[in-house]
Amino acid sequence: MSRSMNPEVSTITIGVPDWAWEAGRDLGPLPLPEQQVEFVLGLVARNIEDGGGPFGAAVFDAHGLLIAPGINRVVPDNAPIAHAEIVAIAAACQRLGSWDLRSAGSFSLVTSAEPCAMCLGATPWSGVSSLIIAARDEDARAVGFDEGAKPDDWLGELERRGISVTRDVCREEAAALLAGYALGGGIIYNGGT
């Protein structure tokens, strides 16, 4: 089997578009989880308009200040690892100059949907102290996304690692964005299926 490869490529680029950074540029503190999720859902709506996936995330500090936005870039960047949580975590770490957010303070990862298996694995590695979730796993699966195999007690495991979890924040709005994406003909991308 022959694959077209460019041997000259030596970097991988997965970026947060300028509009996502602009959305948070003059954003004051958002101390409430609902405010943070509403911001993330706004990113999701814009990302869908721009041809991206229906998932968003952001990293906020303990005062509710945005550190980094993240949107799903799987299809636009041809990168199956470019899930919103991974993008937000990487952007936050790069902005703060540390591979471990714990070393820079206390941070929350806010997501438009429960992390898939890959993003769940990245959560404790990132060093966040809390995870705030809008839609549930079953909302993403209901429109056709394969979220991968996750441990039955993934919530307990995160909490044992010192990561508090808050679920169902603006769940209906987040689930509606997922459903609208699917009804609008958005690409349902699943690896290996």
Side-chain angles (χ1 to χ4, degrees):
M1 173 163 42
S2 172
R3 292 188 187 261
S4 175
M5 295 176 52
N6 183 350
E8 297 175 25
V9 174
S10 62
T11 61
I12 298 169
T13 303
I14 298 170
V16 178
D18 290 341
W19 65 259
W21 286 106
E22 287 296 321
R25 184 169 311 282
D26 296 323
L27 196 64
L30 300 176
L32 301 176
E34 294 81 9
Q35 295 171 314
Q36 295 171 4
V37 169
E38 287 171 4
F39 172 77
V40 166
L41 296 181
L43 294 176
V44 172
R46 172 69 190 270
N47 198 44
I48 291 170
E49 289 175 16
D50 285 358
F55 300 97
V59 174
F60 288 89
D61 74 9
H63 304 290
L65 292 173
L66 176 69
I67 301 303
I71 53 171
N72 186 285
R73 301 290 302 165
V74 170
V75 173
D77 289 347
N78 294 310
I81 63 166
H83 289 201
E85 296 92 337
I86 301 295
V87 172
I89 290 166
C93 288
Q94 289 180 359
R95 181 170 181 207
L96 296 172
S98 177
W99 57 268
D100 180 11
L101 293 174
R102 233 179 330 250
S103 69
S106 178
F107 299 93
S108 296
L109 175 60
V110 180
T111 68
S112 65
E114 281 182 13
C116 69
M118 176 178 65
C119 297
L120 178 63
T123 300
W125 281 91
S126 71
V128 296
S129 58
S130 68
L131 175 63
I132 300 169
I133 303 166
R136 289 210 179 188
D137 182 273
E138 54 261 34
D139 300 324
R141 290 181 192 275
V143 300
F145 284 101
D146 177 0
E147 298 299 279
K150 298 191 290 191
D152 290 336
D153 187 27
W154 64 271
L155 288 165
E157 183 58 34
L158 288 179
E159 294 196 359
R160 280 187 287 284
R161 291 172 175 258
I163 301 169
S164 67
V165 179
T166 304
R167 297 169 81 190
D168 299 335
V169 179
C170 304
R171 180 181 178 187
E172 288 181 19
E173 296 92 327
L177 282 169
L178 287 166
Y181 173 83
L183 288 172
I187 298 171
I188 306 297
Y189 41 87
N190 291 313
T193 58

